[in-house]
């Protein structure tokens, strides 16, 4: 059995735009990914560690524990051995309370997480898990409940795909730009509708299958 860890935020947790409701596992992209891989003959288990509001390395002034660096090394110990770690974070780095963050800073946050994953004290003899960095779809015109929270985010996040690709290349990680296949919801401009979860999970199946530890 190959274990895959998805370390992410509400875009992967499966929040339904403008609600506090969650899509079922088999409608969230991690669940779709697991089912697609099983259909391809892989014996896999996709484990979700997805927290609403999680940043790469920044604190949330209103909620504790949203800094993605906190407890990450211990999570690697908990879930190991792993055949792959999928990092899809960054959207929340552009909330209003981080007014100076840009694509470069979010990419540096991702790089810090990669270093933490690789330095985690997993049990001796366990292989280091490869890492797939997924750049989240671009924020577009936040509206409704997300409008104030993500004020100015669309402009500050410009170039995120290129910044993430650069980090992935430098750190020898796999890379995928979710924007190629999935777009944020027209309802709130930040999260994913069910059909976009389906597109992302399906597209990642081929990428992930090639990246898995044998």
């Amino acid at each position: 059995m190959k274990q895959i860890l998805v370390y992410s935020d509400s875009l992967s947790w499966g929040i339904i735009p403008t609600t506090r409701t969650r899509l079922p596992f088999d409608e969230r992209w991690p669940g779709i990914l697991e089912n697609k891989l099983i259909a391809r003959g892989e014996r896999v288990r996709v484990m979700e560690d997805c927290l609403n509001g999680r940043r790469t390395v920044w604190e949330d002034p209103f909620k504790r524990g949203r800094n993605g660096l906190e407890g990450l090394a211990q999570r690697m110990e908990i879930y190991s051995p792993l055949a792959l770690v999928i990092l899809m974070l960054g959207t929340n780095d552009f909330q209003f309370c981080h007014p100076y963050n840009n694509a470069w800073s979010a990419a540096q946050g991702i790089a810090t997480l990669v270093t933490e994953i690789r330095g985690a004290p997993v049990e001796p003899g366990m292989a280091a898990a490869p890492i797939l960095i997924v750049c989240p779809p671009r924020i577009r015109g936040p509206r409704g409940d997300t409008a104030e929270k993500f004020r100015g985010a669309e402009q500050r996040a410009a170039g995120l795909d290129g910044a993430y690709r650069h980090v992935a290349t430098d750190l020898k990680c796999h890379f995928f730009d979710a924007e190629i296949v999935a777009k944020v919801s027209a309802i709130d401009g930040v999260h994913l509708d069910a059909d976009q979860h389906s597109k992302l999970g399906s597209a990642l199946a081929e990428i992930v299958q090639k990246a898995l530890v044998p």
Side-chain angles (χ1 to χ4, degrees):
M1 177 71 70
K2 297 175 181 178
Q3 299 194 127
I4 300 168
L5 175 62
V6 176
Y7 194 68
S8 186
D9 54 24
S10 58
L11 274 75
S12 305
W13 188 84
I15 196 165
I16 299 173
T18 72
T19 77
R20 304 311 298 177
T21 305
R22 187 182 194 184
L23 290 168
F25 178 70
D26 60 1
E27 293 181 29
R28 303 192 291 268
W29 75 255
I32 292 164
L33 170 63
E34 178 178 283
N35 290 334
K36 293 287 185 182
L37 289 172
I38 291 171
R40 288 168 169 253
E42 296 283 356
R43 294 185 66 246
V44 297
R45 179 187 178 203
V46 174
M47 296 174 295
E48 302 169 294
D49 196 314
C50 305
L51 179 65
N52 293 342
R54 179 180 278 154
R55 284 87 161 134
T56 57
V57 297
W58 316 103
E59 304 288 346
D60 185 326
F62 305 124
K63 293 181 180 179
R64 296 179 61 184
R66 266 57 186 180
N67 179 339
L69 194 58
E70 289 185 10
L72 178 54
Q74 288 72 35
R75 283 173 168 86
M76 294 302 296
E77 291 187 81
I78 291 167
Y79 296 118
S80 290
L82 290 165
L84 183 68
V85 177
I86 302 176
L87 280 178
M88 186 170 128
L89 285 169
T91 296
N92 292 301
D93 286 29
F94 301 102
Q95 286 197 25
F96 76 99
C97 47
H98 310 299
Y100 300 109
N101 281 4
N102 57 17
W104 178 86
S105 62
Q108 295 310 299
I110 288 289
T112 301
L113 298 181
V114 170
T115 299
E116 185 76 357
I117 289 168
R118 289 177 172 169
V122 297
E123 293 299 316
M126 287 186 179
I131 299 169
L132 169 61
I133 296 171
V134 178
C135 181
R138 297 177 193 134
I139 300 167
R140 283 189 170 88
R143 55 188 63 83
D145 292 342
T146 67
E148 285 302 311
K149 186 182 288 188
F150 287 91
R151 185 174 63 249
E154 185 173 355
Q155 293 73 34
R156 288 185 286 112
L160 192 64
D161 53 340
Y164 275 28
R165 188 185 297 275
H166 182 74
V167 164
T169 299
D170 279 355
L171 297 180
K172 296 180 172 56
C173 297
H174 302 281
F175 175 77
F176 184 75
D177 182 8
E179 178 72 20
I180 295 172
V181 297
K183 302 294 186 287
V184 295
S185 175
I187 298 172
D188 70 4
V190 172
H191 296 103
L192 299 175
D193 293 321
D195 62 331
Q196 302 304 299
H197 275 270
S198 179
K199 290 178 181 179
L200 180 56
S202 298
L204 282 173
E206 184 172 352
I207 306 295
V208 167
Q209 188 173 33
K210 292 177 181 177
L212 287 173
V213 169

